[in-house]
Amino acid sequence: MKLELNNIYLMDCFKFLSKVSKNSIDLAVIDPPYNLKKAQWDNFKSHDDFLSFTFKWIDLLIPTIKQTGSLYIFNTPYNAAFILRYLLDKGLIFQNWITWDKRDGLSVSKKKYSNAQETILFFTKSNRYTFNVDDIRIPYESTERINHATKKGILKNGKRWFPNPKGKLCTDVWHFSSERHKNKINGKTPKLPHVTPKPLDMIERIIKASSNPGDIVLDCFMGIGTTAIAAKKNGRNFIGCDINKEYVNIAKKRLNEISLQDENKENLNNELVMYEF
Ligand SMILES: C[S@@+](CC[C@H](N)C(=O)[O-])C[C@H]1O[C@@H](n2cnc3c(N)ncnc32)[C@H](O)[C@@H]1O
């Protein structure tokens, strides 16, 4: 079977990944089940069952990523610790443990600290990888100090430092309001089209940093298509799947609704490019 680029398949991740050709993917953005029992697909009999499922898709995913490619995996900090160990054992190169401050809680507890973060593991296949540091700079906070520094510079170790007009370097702690939090009305979250959609601006940060226009971005747990939308908006090609028909339909509808910035149109493979897998 051939897979089409810029398409989302209604398929199980194992079947899908077995069809993706080796060394073809520039960036994998993976937001898999967490075993938090948020939905039927997020419910595993035990932590061991969850880990065997996770390690099984990781085993199929790794060979699809190019030697110059990158991999981001979302999960709870606890699960991320196991996944990190597994990726190291598989020879991948650790780059960052990113803490996503969700501005919303995963769960409230009075017997320990309430969870308010998720982890994003950033790994690469080798030391030759894309990292567009200037494309993900963040505006400086202290405008007064920065205005002053822009004019006169700040003396640092005998050298004059001038702020970068694109902003400061992005750190490994990310503050993005969760979709649940953003959509709250009078403190209550209305039913969203997906139980755990990721914020588009956060996925765009990953795509801008770790891929270039025209690259191929893979997501084998596509949900309602956030990765595909972020890729399309930024002139990257995408490919992915989800096992839920309703989510795949919503993802396709959302994809049709977004308009591309002109500069990104030429980077997309609009004719359906067929990949022999
Ligand atoms: C955490 S959600 C992804 C949400 C997505 N990032 C978004 O923003 O919409 C995980 C997704 O994995 C899908 N899923 C679960 N098990 C799967 C499997 N075996 N194969 C493919 N998709 C699966 C679920 O249907 C769910 O949409």
Side-chain angles (χ1 to χ4, degrees), residues 12-190:
D12 180 84
C13 63
F14 301 107
K15 187 170 176 203
F16 170 79
L17 288 171
S18 67
K19 293 179 186 302
V20 178
S21 61
K22 307 230 173 340
N23 298 311
S24 64
I25 302 301
D26 297 287
L27 168 64
V29 182
I30 313 289
D31 178 23
Y34 289 19
N35 195 23
L36 289 178
K37 328 285 183 210
K38 296 261 170 193
Q40 195 239 322
W41 51 262
D42 196 36
N43 204 344
F44 295 81
K45 269 195 245 130
S46 64
H47 188 61
D48 280 351
D49 267 12
F50 165 72
L51 287 181
S52 11
F53 166 85
T54 304
F55 296 161
K56 198 169 147 198
W57 64 252
I58 289 178
D59 285 346
L60 289 173
L61 175 69
I62 292 174
T64 69
I65 302 173
K66 288 181 183 169
Q67 273 309 107
T68 49
S70 302
L71 162 64
Y72 288 72
I73 300 181
F74 286 80
N75 230 292
T76 62
Y78 180 78
N79 291 339
F82 292 85
I83 298 172
L84 180 143
R85 180 70 258 170
Y86 193 73
L87 294 175
L88 289 178
D89 289 346
K90 292 281 156 181
L92 269 78
I93 299 179
F94 172 74
Q95 300 297 346
N96 286 113
W97 174 292
I98 298 162
T99 295
W100 171 28
D101 154 26
K102 301 177 66 173
R103 315 229 143 157
D104 183 14
L106 278 182
S107 65
V108 174
S109 172
K110 290 190 175 165
K111 289 202 158 183
K112 58 177 185 171
Y113 303 103
S114 299
N115 301 132
Q117 60 170 295
E118 288 187 22
T119 299
I120 312 167
L121 295 174
F122 168 30
F123 274 76
T124 55
K125 269 278 206 47
S126 73
N127 285 320
R128 279 186 310 123
Y129 60 94
T130 297
F131 194 72
N132 301 314
V133 70
D134 286 334
D135 295 351
I136 52 155
R137 281 181 178 269
I138 294 168
Y140 295 98
E141 272 145 39
S142 157
T143 38
E144 205 179 298
R145 185 169 157 265
I146 291 305
N147 284 344
H148 176 79
T150 307
K151 284 185 214 128
K152 308 225 162 140
I154 292 175
L155 208 52
K156 273 190 182 172
N157 303 328
K159 283 188 185 157
R160 217 152 258 289
W161 173 83
F162 288 90
N164 188 307
K166 289 184 171 168
K168 62 181 181 180
L169 292 172
C170 181
T171 72
D172 56 5
V173 179
W174 294 6
H175 309 277
F176 286 98
S177 291
S178 70
E179 290 302 297
R180 280 172 49 81
H181 195 59
K182 267 191 250 173
N183 286 288
K184 271 184 186 156
I185 302 167
N186 298 332
K188 280 197 170 170
T189 310

